Short mmCIF file of all heavy atoms in Angstrom, two decimals:
data_model
loop_
_atom_site.label_atom_id
_atom_site.label_comp_id
_atom_site.label_asym_id
_atom_site.label_seq_id
_atom_site.Cartn_x
_atom_site.Cartn_y
_atom_site.Cartn_z
N VAL A 26 58.17 -23.29 -7.91
CA VAL A 26 58.41 -23.67 -6.51
C VAL A 26 58.33 -22.45 -5.61
O VAL A 26 57.73 -22.50 -4.52
CB VAL A 26 59.77 -24.39 -6.37
CG1 VAL A 26 60.13 -24.59 -4.91
CG2 VAL A 26 59.74 -25.72 -7.09
N VAL A 27 58.91 -21.34 -6.03
CA VAL A 27 58.85 -20.11 -5.23
C VAL A 27 57.41 -19.65 -5.06
O VAL A 27 56.99 -19.27 -3.96
CB VAL A 27 59.73 -19.01 -5.87
CG1 VAL A 27 59.47 -17.66 -5.21
CG2 VAL A 27 61.20 -19.38 -5.77
N MET A 28 56.64 -19.70 -6.13
CA MET A 28 55.23 -19.31 -6.05
C MET A 28 54.46 -20.26 -5.12
O MET A 28 53.62 -19.81 -4.33
CB MET A 28 54.60 -19.32 -7.45
CG MET A 28 55.05 -18.18 -8.32
SD MET A 28 54.59 -16.57 -7.65
CE MET A 28 52.83 -16.65 -7.77
N LEU A 29 54.75 -21.55 -5.19
CA LEU A 29 54.08 -22.52 -4.32
C LEU A 29 54.39 -22.25 -2.86
O LEU A 29 53.49 -22.27 -2.00
CB LEU A 29 54.50 -23.94 -4.71
CG LEU A 29 53.88 -25.07 -3.89
CD1 LEU A 29 52.37 -25.11 -4.11
CD2 LEU A 29 54.52 -26.39 -4.26
N VAL A 30 55.64 -21.97 -2.54
CA VAL A 30 56.03 -21.67 -1.15
C VAL A 30 55.38 -20.37 -0.68
O VAL A 30 54.89 -20.28 0.46
CB VAL A 30 57.57 -21.61 -1.03
CG1 VAL A 30 57.99 -21.06 0.33
CG2 VAL A 30 58.17 -22.99 -1.25
N ALA A 31 55.34 -19.36 -1.55
CA ALA A 31 54.71 -18.08 -1.18
C ALA A 31 53.22 -18.26 -0.93
O ALA A 31 52.67 -17.73 0.05
CB ALA A 31 54.95 -17.05 -2.27
N VAL A 32 52.56 -19.03 -1.77
CA VAL A 32 51.12 -19.27 -1.59
C VAL A 32 50.87 -20.07 -0.32
O VAL A 32 49.94 -19.78 0.45
CB VAL A 32 50.54 -19.98 -2.83
CG1 VAL A 32 49.14 -20.51 -2.56
CG2 VAL A 32 50.53 -19.04 -4.02
N ALA A 33 51.73 -21.08 -0.04
CA ALA A 33 51.58 -21.87 1.18
C ALA A 33 51.77 -20.98 2.41
O ALA A 33 51.02 -21.10 3.40
CB ALA A 33 52.58 -23.03 1.19
N GLY A 34 52.75 -20.08 2.38
CA GLY A 34 52.97 -19.17 3.50
C GLY A 34 51.80 -18.22 3.70
O GLY A 34 51.38 -17.97 4.84
N ALA A 35 51.27 -17.69 2.60
CA ALA A 35 50.12 -16.78 2.71
C ALA A 35 48.90 -17.51 3.25
O ALA A 35 48.15 -16.96 4.08
CB ALA A 35 49.82 -16.17 1.34
N MET A 36 48.69 -18.75 2.81
CA MET A 36 47.53 -19.52 3.31
C MET A 36 47.70 -19.84 4.79
O MET A 36 46.73 -19.80 5.56
CB MET A 36 47.37 -20.81 2.49
CG MET A 36 46.86 -20.56 1.09
SD MET A 36 46.75 -22.05 0.08
CE MET A 36 45.57 -23.01 0.98
N LEU A 37 48.93 -20.13 5.23
CA LEU A 37 49.17 -20.40 6.64
C LEU A 37 48.89 -19.16 7.48
O LEU A 37 48.24 -19.24 8.53
CB LEU A 37 50.62 -20.86 6.84
CG LEU A 37 51.06 -21.06 8.29
CD1 LEU A 37 50.34 -22.25 8.90
CD2 LEU A 37 52.55 -21.25 8.37
N LEU A 38 49.37 -18.02 7.00
CA LEU A 38 49.12 -16.77 7.72
C LEU A 38 47.62 -16.46 7.79
O LEU A 38 47.10 -16.09 8.85
CB LEU A 38 49.89 -15.62 7.05
CG LEU A 38 49.76 -14.24 7.70
CD1 LEU A 38 50.31 -14.29 9.13
CD2 LEU A 38 50.49 -13.20 6.87
N TRP A 39 46.94 -16.62 6.67
CA TRP A 39 45.49 -16.39 6.65
C TRP A 39 44.77 -17.32 7.61
O TRP A 39 43.88 -16.92 8.35
CB TRP A 39 44.95 -16.57 5.23
CG TRP A 39 43.45 -16.49 5.17
CD1 TRP A 39 42.70 -15.37 5.14
CD2 TRP A 39 42.55 -17.58 5.17
NE1 TRP A 39 41.37 -15.69 5.11
CE2 TRP A 39 41.25 -17.06 5.12
CE3 TRP A 39 42.72 -18.97 5.18
CZ2 TRP A 39 40.12 -17.87 5.11
CZ3 TRP A 39 41.60 -19.77 5.16
CH2 TRP A 39 40.31 -19.22 5.13
N TRP A 40 45.18 -18.59 7.64
CA TRP A 40 44.53 -19.57 8.51
C TRP A 40 44.77 -19.23 9.99
O TRP A 40 43.86 -19.34 10.81
CB TRP A 40 45.06 -20.97 8.19
CG TRP A 40 44.42 -22.05 9.01
CD1 TRP A 40 43.15 -22.52 8.90
CD2 TRP A 40 45.03 -22.77 10.07
NE1 TRP A 40 42.93 -23.49 9.83
CE2 TRP A 40 44.08 -23.67 10.56
CE3 TRP A 40 46.30 -22.74 10.66
CZ2 TRP A 40 44.33 -24.54 11.61
CZ3 TRP A 40 46.55 -23.61 11.69
CH2 TRP A 40 45.57 -24.49 12.17
N CYS A 41 46.00 -18.81 10.30
CA CYS A 41 46.31 -18.44 11.69
C CYS A 41 45.48 -17.23 12.12
O CYS A 41 44.94 -17.20 13.24
CB CYS A 41 47.80 -18.14 11.85
SG CYS A 41 48.86 -19.60 11.81
N VAL A 42 45.37 -16.23 11.27
CA VAL A 42 44.60 -15.02 11.61
C VAL A 42 43.11 -15.35 11.70
O VAL A 42 42.41 -14.92 12.62
CB VAL A 42 44.88 -13.90 10.59
CG1 VAL A 42 43.92 -12.73 10.80
CG2 VAL A 42 46.32 -13.44 10.70
N ALA A 43 42.62 -16.15 10.75
CA ALA A 43 41.19 -16.49 10.73
C ALA A 43 40.80 -17.36 11.92
O ALA A 43 39.67 -17.29 12.40
CB ALA A 43 40.85 -17.21 9.43
N SER A 44 41.72 -18.17 12.41
CA SER A 44 41.42 -19.04 13.56
C SER A 44 41.55 -18.31 14.88
O SER A 44 41.24 -18.88 15.93
CB SER A 44 42.34 -20.26 13.56
OG SER A 44 42.16 -21.01 12.39
N GLY A 45 42.06 -17.10 14.87
CA GLY A 45 42.17 -16.31 16.10
C GLY A 45 43.38 -16.65 16.94
O GLY A 45 43.39 -16.42 18.15
N TYR A 46 44.43 -17.20 16.31
CA TYR A 46 45.64 -17.50 17.08
C TYR A 46 46.34 -16.21 17.48
O TYR A 46 46.31 -15.21 16.76
CB TYR A 46 46.61 -18.36 16.27
CG TYR A 46 46.18 -19.80 16.10
CD1 TYR A 46 46.22 -20.43 14.87
CD2 TYR A 46 45.74 -20.54 17.20
CE1 TYR A 46 45.84 -21.74 14.71
CE2 TYR A 46 45.35 -21.86 17.05
CZ TYR A 46 45.41 -22.46 15.81
OH TYR A 46 45.02 -23.75 15.67
N SER A 47 47.02 -16.27 18.60
CA SER A 47 47.79 -15.10 19.05
C SER A 47 49.07 -15.00 18.23
O SER A 47 49.43 -15.90 17.47
CB SER A 47 48.12 -15.24 20.54
OG SER A 47 49.04 -16.30 20.73
N ILE A 48 49.80 -13.91 18.44
CA ILE A 48 51.06 -13.69 17.72
C ILE A 48 52.06 -14.79 18.06
O ILE A 48 52.79 -15.28 17.18
CB ILE A 48 51.64 -12.30 18.06
CG1 ILE A 48 50.73 -11.20 17.53
CG2 ILE A 48 53.04 -12.12 17.50
CD1 ILE A 48 50.64 -11.14 16.03
N ASP A 49 52.12 -15.23 19.33
CA ASP A 49 53.04 -16.30 19.73
C ASP A 49 52.69 -17.61 19.03
O ASP A 49 53.59 -18.34 18.57
CB ASP A 49 53.02 -16.49 21.25
CG ASP A 49 53.65 -15.33 22.00
OD1 ASP A 49 54.51 -14.64 21.40
OD2 ASP A 49 53.29 -15.13 23.17
N GLU A 50 51.41 -17.94 18.96
CA GLU A 50 50.99 -19.17 18.30
C GLU A 50 51.28 -19.10 16.79
O GLU A 50 51.65 -20.09 16.17
CB GLU A 50 49.51 -19.43 18.56
CG GLU A 50 49.23 -19.79 20.01
CD GLU A 50 47.74 -19.83 20.32
OE1 GLU A 50 46.98 -19.10 19.65
OE2 GLU A 50 47.36 -20.57 21.23
N GLN A 51 51.09 -17.91 16.20
CA GLN A 51 51.39 -17.74 14.79
C GLN A 51 52.89 -17.90 14.53
O GLN A 51 53.30 -18.49 13.54
CB GLN A 51 50.93 -16.35 14.32
CG GLN A 51 49.43 -16.19 14.27
CD GLN A 51 49.02 -14.80 13.84
OE1 GLN A 51 49.77 -14.11 13.16
NE2 GLN A 51 47.83 -14.37 14.24
N ALA A 52 53.71 -17.37 15.43
CA ALA A 52 55.17 -17.50 15.28
C ALA A 52 55.59 -18.96 15.37
O ALA A 52 56.46 -19.42 14.61
CB ALA A 52 55.88 -16.67 16.34
N LYS A 53 54.98 -19.72 16.30
CA LYS A 53 55.30 -21.16 16.42
C LYS A 53 54.90 -21.90 15.15
O LYS A 53 55.64 -22.76 14.65
CB LYS A 53 54.61 -21.75 17.64
CG LYS A 53 55.22 -21.34 18.94
CD LYS A 53 54.46 -21.97 20.10
CE LYS A 53 54.97 -21.46 21.43
NZ LYS A 53 54.22 -22.00 22.57
N ALA A 54 53.70 -21.60 14.63
CA ALA A 54 53.24 -22.27 13.41
C ALA A 54 54.15 -21.94 12.23
O ALA A 54 54.49 -22.82 11.43
CB ALA A 54 51.80 -21.88 13.11
N ALA A 55 54.57 -20.68 12.13
CA ALA A 55 55.47 -20.28 11.04
C ALA A 55 56.83 -20.97 11.18
O ALA A 55 57.42 -21.40 10.18
CB ALA A 55 55.62 -18.77 11.01
N ALA A 56 57.33 -21.10 12.40
CA ALA A 56 58.63 -21.77 12.62
C ALA A 56 58.55 -23.25 12.27
O ALA A 56 59.47 -23.80 11.64
CB ALA A 56 59.07 -21.58 14.07
N ILE A 57 57.45 -23.89 12.65
CA ILE A 57 57.29 -25.32 12.32
C ILE A 57 57.19 -25.50 10.81
O ILE A 57 57.79 -26.41 10.23
CB ILE A 57 56.05 -25.89 13.05
CG1 ILE A 57 56.31 -25.96 14.55
CG2 ILE A 57 55.69 -27.26 12.50
CD1 ILE A 57 55.09 -26.30 15.37
N THR A 58 56.43 -24.61 10.16
CA THR A 58 56.30 -24.69 8.70
C THR A 58 57.65 -24.46 8.02
O THR A 58 58.01 -25.17 7.08
CB THR A 58 55.28 -23.66 8.21
OG1 THR A 58 54.04 -23.87 8.88
CG2 THR A 58 55.07 -23.75 6.71
N LYS A 59 58.42 -23.49 8.52
CA LYS A 59 59.74 -23.21 7.95
C LYS A 59 60.66 -24.43 8.10
O LYS A 59 61.36 -24.81 7.15
CB LYS A 59 60.37 -22.00 8.63
CG LYS A 59 61.78 -21.67 8.11
CD LYS A 59 62.48 -20.64 8.95
CE LYS A 59 62.83 -21.15 10.30
NZ LYS A 59 64.10 -21.80 10.48
N ASP A 60 60.63 -25.05 9.27
CA ASP A 60 61.47 -26.24 9.49
C ASP A 60 61.06 -27.40 8.59
O ASP A 60 61.91 -28.11 8.04
CB ASP A 60 61.41 -26.66 10.96
CG ASP A 60 62.06 -25.65 11.90
OD1 ASP A 60 62.85 -24.81 11.41
OD2 ASP A 60 61.78 -25.68 13.12
N ALA A 61 59.74 -27.59 8.44
CA ALA A 61 59.26 -28.67 7.57
C ALA A 61 59.66 -28.41 6.12
O ALA A 61 60.10 -29.34 5.42
CB ALA A 61 57.74 -28.80 7.68
N LEU A 62 59.52 -27.17 5.65
CA LEU A 62 59.92 -26.84 4.28
C LEU A 62 61.43 -26.99 4.08
O LEU A 62 61.89 -27.40 3.01
CB LEU A 62 59.48 -25.43 3.92
CG LEU A 62 57.97 -25.25 3.68
CD1 LEU A 62 57.65 -23.78 3.45
CD2 LEU A 62 57.51 -26.09 2.51
N THR A 63 62.22 -26.68 5.10
CA THR A 63 63.68 -26.86 5.01
C THR A 63 64.03 -28.33 4.86
O THR A 63 64.88 -28.70 4.03
CB THR A 63 64.36 -26.28 6.27
OG1 THR A 63 64.04 -24.90 6.37
CG2 THR A 63 65.87 -26.44 6.19
N ILE A 64 63.37 -29.18 5.63
CA ILE A 64 63.62 -30.63 5.53
C ILE A 64 63.24 -31.14 4.15
O ILE A 64 63.98 -31.90 3.52
CB ILE A 64 62.87 -31.38 6.65
CG1 ILE A 64 63.50 -31.06 8.00
CG2 ILE A 64 62.87 -32.88 6.40
CD1 ILE A 64 62.70 -31.53 9.19
N VAL A 65 62.08 -30.73 3.65
CA VAL A 65 61.63 -31.16 2.32
C VAL A 65 62.62 -30.67 1.26
O VAL A 65 62.98 -31.42 0.34
CB VAL A 65 60.20 -30.65 2.04
CG1 VAL A 65 59.83 -30.82 0.58
CG2 VAL A 65 59.20 -31.36 2.93
N ALA A 66 63.09 -29.44 1.37
CA ALA A 66 64.04 -28.90 0.40
C ALA A 66 65.36 -29.67 0.42
O ALA A 66 65.94 -29.96 -0.64
CB ALA A 66 64.30 -27.42 0.67
#
């Protein structure tokens, strides 16, 4: 599970950087992902 969460986080970061999102947009995406993972957990 820890490896799955780490891989999901790395893929999200890669996708945000590859899509050209700004730091603020990346922070929002990371916060939404964190909240979704908290609910699932």
Side-chain angles (χ1 to χ4, degrees):
V26 171
V27 169
M28 287 298 294
L29 180 65
V30 169
V32 168
M36 289 177 62
L37 175 68
L38 181 61
W39 174 81
W40 182 72
C41 286
V42 170
S44 299
Y46 287 133
S47 68
I48 294 294
D49 290 335
E50 291 171 332
Q51 291 178 25
K53 286 179 185 177
I57 291 171
T58 304
K59 179 190 68 89
D60 292 342
L62 287 175
T63 301
I64 291 170
V65 168

